[in-house]
Amino acid sequence: MASKSSIDYEAIPVTALNCSFRKKLGLYLNPTNTVAADWRTVAEMMDFTYLEIKNFEKRDYPFEKVLTEWETRPEATVANLLSILEKAERKDVISDLKEVIDDDCRKYLERQQRKPVQVPVVDSCGPRTQEREGITLYDDPQGLSPENFDAFICYCQSDFQFVHEMIKQLEQTEYNLKLCVFDRDVLPGTCVWTITSELIEKRCKRMVVVISDDYLDSDACDFQTKFALSLCPGARSKRLIPVVYKSMNRPFPSILRFLTICDYTRPCTQAWFWTRLAKALSLP
């Protein structure tokens, strides 16, 4: 077990901090405070914009939402969280919650040490990998040649008409790309979250995120986006490509603001839209 002095906070993501810590931290930072820095100051130091902070104000527990958004970023480590609280002159919070933080960090390190080495599963039919078999329409039922795709399309149902246009422009043209569209390609009767994760991580080179106002309310889209971001910290591999195809009334999702987008709403660049997107999806 790691001792308090040996904990490397820089190597531990904020996701290691459990719900009890988050609630306690919210009790310190959520109330408006005229004397000490509250959640707004901390959110600003996390590089959230004024409009994003105003949007967080509508939440019952704004700091918990701020922390959830911030933890998807590559710089979201326990060390940086402690540094932000210290710069915000909330050493009282650090002092009161240090024991809880250390306890969560030690538990995280212990879980990491206990993670089993993945080995082939052996059953009465002989060895096979843990990758699931027969999850898409054209999978080999024996799992010998799983179906792979150029891109997973993350979308909500209200944007399905644009997804149809994407299929037409990218699959049925000279680009000849292969898209993974959940409603079309995934067989029924499988666990949505498990299969989605496997498709994004193992079967698809990239993920296209169709951004709209309705996307912001979709739990499925939120999960898919955050999972894809976790596979490419800092977007170094150009794995995730946001697409905006119609005007939005709500703020653009903060977790994607550091990525270059494909914008279909600008008439002056619309003629280049499909070429740019196809080129990005065609990269090795």
Side-chain angles (χ1 to χ4, degrees):
M1 180 181 294
S3 65
K4 292 183 181 180
S5 60
S6 67
I7 295 175
D8 180 8
Y9 298 118
E10 191 64 53
I12 300 176
V14 170
T15 50
L17 301 176
N18 293 325
C19 292
S20 59
F21 166 79
R22 294 162 186 263
K23 289 180 181 179
K24 289 175 182 176
L25 186 56
L27 290 175
Y28 283 93
L29 298 179
N30 280 328
T32 302
N33 199 321
T34 57
V35 179
D38 59 22
W39 71 270
R40 295 173 183 81
T41 303
V42 174
E44 190 171 348
M45 295 177 74
M46 289 175 169
D47 290 331
F48 287 102
T49 65
Y50 171 77
L51 288 178
E52 288 170 333
I53 293 172
K54 294 298 288 183
N55 195 51
F56 288 136
E57 286 180 350
K58 301 174 185 177
R59 305 284 181 156
D60 292 333
Y61 305 99
F63 184 70
E64 285 87 332
K65 182 62 178 175
V66 168
L67 195 60
T68 300
E69 293 283 351
W70 185 67
E71 69 185 11
T72 63
R73 302 181 187 177
E75 70 270 20
T77 64
V78 174
N80 283 339
L81 176 61
L82 293 174
S83 175
I84 288 171
L85 290 173
E86 188 169 350
K87 289 176 182 176
E89 298 183 354
R90 292 307 304 262
K91 293 183 180 179
D92 58 318
V93 178
I94 298 174
S95 177
D96 290 351
L97 299 182
K98 186 67 161 51
E99 189 174 335
V100 180
I101 293 171
D102 285 346
D103 189 46
D104 283 350
C105 289
R106 287 195 298 272
K107 289 177 180 176
Y108 170 82
L109 293 173
E110 289 171 2
R111 288 196 300 270
Q112 293 299 106
Q113 291 173 358
R114 289 199 303 265
K115 277 189 175 180
V117 178
Q118 290 191 353
V119 296
V121 176
V122 179
D123 58 20
S124 58
C125 298
R128 61 181 176 88
T129 64
Q130 290 189 354
E131 186 169 339
R132 288 156 189 84
E133 304 165 0
I135 64 175
T136 64
L137 195 61
Y138 295 107
D139 261 351
D140 179 352
Q142 303 302 318
L144 299 177
S145 55
E147 188 177 17
N148 294 310
F149 303 87
D150 292 300
F152 182 94
I153 311 301
C154 171
Y155 62 95
C156 61
Q157 292 300 315
S158 61
D159 298 322
F160 200 54
Q161 185 174 351
F162 182 74
V163 175
H164 272 287
E165 181 65 18
M166 191 177 295
I167 292 170
K168 177 181 175 183
Q169 294 289 342
L170 299 178
E171 286 191 338
Q172 301 170 8
T173 60
E174 69 275 12
Y175 301 124
N176 197 32
L177 292 167
K178 191 172 183 181
L179 309 179
C180 182
V181 179
F182 199 91
D183 290 289
R184 179 192 68 174
D185 298 314
V186 178
L187 296 176
T190 52
C191 174
V192 173
W193 308 112
T194 304
I195 297 307
T196 298
S197 302
E198 181 169 319
L199 287 168
I200 294 171
E201 181 177 10
K202 298 180 180 179
R203 306 284 197 93
C204 301
K205 290 194 297 182
R206 288 178 173 78
M207 186 168 91
V208 175
V209 186
V210 181
I211 309 294
S212 67
D213 288 329
D214 291 323
Y215 160 91
L216 298 172
D217 295 322
S218 170
D219 290 336
C221 289
D222 182 65
F223 168 79
Q224 292 166 12
T225 303
K226 289 179 178 176
F227 181 77
L229 282 172
S230 73
L231 300 175
C232 55
R236 289 188 292 269
S237 63
K238 298 182 182 178
R239 187 183 183 107
L240 195 147
I241 302 171
V243 167
V244 177
Y245 79 99
K246 63 181 179 181
S247 299
M248 296 177 60
N249 297 316
R250 298 166 64 181
F252 190 83
S254 58
I255 60 173
L256 298 177
R257 64 179 179 174
F258 61 92
L259 295 176
T260 305
I261 69 170
C262 252
D263 192 347
Y264 195 69
T265 66
R266 298 169 58 196
C268 59
T269 62
Q270 210 171 71
W272 306 323
F273 176 85
W274 294 113
T275 301
R276 290 181 66 227
L277 182 56
K279 180 65 176 178
L281 297 180
S282 301
L283 292 172

